[in-house]
Amino acid sequence: MPRASLLLSTFNAGEWSPELYGRIDLDKYRNACRRIENFVLLAQGPATRRPGTQYVASTKDDGVVRLIPFEFSTEQAYIIEAGANYFRFYMNGGRIETSPGVAYEITTPYGVNDLSGLKWAQSADVLYLVHPQFQPHKLARSGHTNWSMTPIDFSDGPYLDENVAAVNMTPAAANGSNVTLTASAATFVAGDVGRLVRIKHGSTWGWGKIITFTSATQVKIDIKSTFGGTGAVPTWRLGAWSPGTGWPSTITFHEERLFLANTKYQPQTLWASVSGAYESFAPTGTDGVTKDDHGLNFTIADDRVNAIRWMSAGKTLALGTTGGEFNLTASSLNEALTPSNVTVRRETTNGSADLRPERIGAAVIYVQRAGRKVYEMAYSFENDAFNSPELSLLARHLTLKGIKEIAYQAEPWSVIWAVRQDGALLGLTYMRGQDVVGWHQHRVAGTAAKVKSVACIPGIAQDEAWLAVERVVNGVVRRSVERMAQAFEPEDAFDKKGAFFVDGGLTFNGAGATALTPDATAAVVGSTNVPFAAAAPAFTLDDIGREIQYSYPALEGEGYHVARARITGFIDASLVTATVLAPFPGVAPIAAGAWSLGATTILGLGHLVGETVTILADGATHPTRVVAPDGSITLERPTAYAHVGLGYTSRLATMDIEAGALDGTAQGKSRRIHRVIVRLNNSLGMRVGAEEAGSEDVVFREARTAMDQSPPLFTGDKVVAFPKGWATQAVVTVLQEQPLPCTIVALIPQLTTMDG
């Protein structure tokens, strides 16, 4: 019976499909897991618990929404709540409001069923939006509460090809408004209102916009560029976009041009604006001469249908179509794109879903046509071509239900978040340079909880991931906008303020906003009527009964002492008296933010009425509470700082451990895990076992830790004995159910294999 100790030092191969449970021959088998739920995989190897989600606001009328990022700068980035014919705006973790509780919003033409079809591209403080059923619009920002949405009035194009039929156009005038334009044969339809028309007289081109439909042979136009005459001429072009021919459905910027593509009438065609003039698509000058900076159009010619789904700008312009993926470049190496210098080459035949891709470095991450696979498109120097490997190959069980949206969070983890059609949230830790591609799944807490949309924007230190979440709360469907909390990065082992591990949660912070000076008698426990003077108004009459709390360092390595005094008298807004419950260290003023007013009642949880909530109070777990109808909970002890929300479980289960046997593999043989060494970093509170039902609590509290304080965060090795006997499967399962951090650096199981 050989014994073995196996070091599982990395988990970044991610969760694998059951079809791969026997692939011990793969190099990454040891780095993979059967299940990774609510753990984020780090590129370095560890698995760290997913932060919780912070409730920001309910959606308008609890309606379905989509989240859109708006990145004006790293200091001013917004999330747009796109709902039924409205946009609302968020920044710095909150909703922009015109007055307390009143959201700032603007009207839009997009109904709730149109939201999934929106695509966008941004230039400075203008967001260009397209949808196949609507004229392109632009969203302009002038200030936090000054946004405007207007249709884009494109000038001089784009157009269809020149007329080749025996049809003449006759304008009633060479210039002016409401001018009659007559065709010699049926040409116009009612849907042409708003469509452009370009007419050539002699060597001069002029153009105008159709404003009124009169009949199939006659319309009224506003002339924007003077015609060269008023005679009947056969040389003319109609605009490519209109309600009848359809509107572009995808958009991007590339080489100082605005690119749009895929209308109902021309699904395989893309158009580019005049260089540097995003709203002009003039194909030539008025003299008919085409210059390098004029607008261009290109139609993909191929042996299959190639409706353009997305465009992604890099060194080349990557195109995703229903039939494959292409690259658009200049025909000449290192030259700029011009109307006469453009070529499109097929790179792959996977086909793309109608979803926005994510460009990460030189690679484009996109969802395959059926929505069930994720691919990477990147240039390979070895092959001198663009390769497109499947990123979901090893975790197909996670993506089979279809992906509806992806968003990339570069900091701090380099994770691609994916929303599945059924509302599940998936994560893909992606760092191609380090050969890291690992999937993990996430279950947002709550009854029938579903993630409906995800978007990421840059933050000051970390990128922000925002979620639109749907839950059943107290029997009613509620929808909210939530922000994933920042990755937990404590300053020391006693710092748990950033440990936000509840979903749909809020934070209570009783920190004082001004300096506070205790009387000298505050150093004696039991002293009564002790004055506490604030440097500015800080108290109200309702504070009687609350506690003043001040945490200060104890001896090195022993954490903090907490000085406490219960307020018994209110003199004025800057002076109260109190009874000392735990001594204060001196009479020096306590800085603003260093002291707190503890509370036993926490308000503001109206979005979770009737739900059982999990609580982390002053860094320690607190018994669960049910939110009262007024949105409050009552704590069993005064608390200065608390995170309150819906609890969730993080799970990690290894693959069937393969440590070898005397005659080869250990798979299928009876094995017994005697114990597991769990190597942790800044972790507290967890269970470990062979399976969830029989897992054992890991003890973190030491004898020197005061009973009225939470144990410090632990970094190091914990030895866990396994009570489970012999079995033909050797799996280590780690669970974290408390609202506390957990980062698994390594697992070192010690096991015996029975041969024969």
Side-chain angles (χ1 to χ4, degrees), residues 56-57 89-90 94-105 144-145:
V56 181
F89 305 89
Y90 297 77
R95 186 178 67 184
I96 296 176
E97 299 179 343
T98 54
S99 59
V102 180
Y104 172 75
E105 68 176 56
H144 297 325
T145 56

Side-chain angles (χ1 to χ4, degrees), residues 647-666:
Y648 61 94
T649 300
S650 298
R651 298 176 175 85
L652 184 147
T654 67
M655 300 292 274
D656 191 1
I657 295 171
E658 173 57 43
L662 292 177
D663 59 354
T665 181

Side-chain angles (χ1 to χ4, degrees), residues 54 56 74-79 89-96 144 457-460 464 466 483:
Q54 299 165 323
V56 181
T74 55
E75 290 79 22
Q76 294 187 38
Y78 302 82
I79 287 292
F89 305 89
Y90 297 77
M91 72 175 299
N92 296 334
R95 186 178 67 184
I96 296 176
H144 297 325
I457 56 175
I460 296 176
E464 300 177 3
W466 290 69
R483 184 179 67 164

Side-chain angles (χ1 to χ4, degrees), residues 225-283:
S225 177
T226 304
F227 294 142
T230 58
V233 291
T235 308
W236 51 270
R237 307 174 70 174
L238 285 178
W241 307 335
S242 70
T245 57
W247 301 102
S249 58
T250 187
I251 185 171
T252 194
F253 288 96
H254 181 60
E255 292 192 3
E256 290 300 311
R257 297 176 185 264
L258 177 64
F259 279 77
L260 299 104
N262 184 359
T263 64
K264 178 178 64 176
Y265 186 72
Q266 295 176 288
Q268 298 182 200
T269 299
L270 59 85
W271 300 267
S273 70
V274 171
S275 182
Y278 300 144
E279 297 175 19
S280 174
F281 285 77

Side-chain angles (χ1 to χ4, degrees), residues 6-11 44-48 652 654 676-681 683 686 688 716-718 732 734 742-749:
L6 190 68
L7 175 63
L8 305 178
S9 59
T10 179
F11 309 98
Q44 300 92 327
T48 189
L652 184 147
T654 67
V676 174
I677 298 171
V678 185
R679 185 160 295 168
L680 301 169
N681 181 49
S683 300
M686 58 186 293
V688 178
D717 291 349
K718 284 290 184 180
V732 177
V734 179
C742 179
T743 298
I744 308 168
V745 175
L747 295 174
I748 309 171

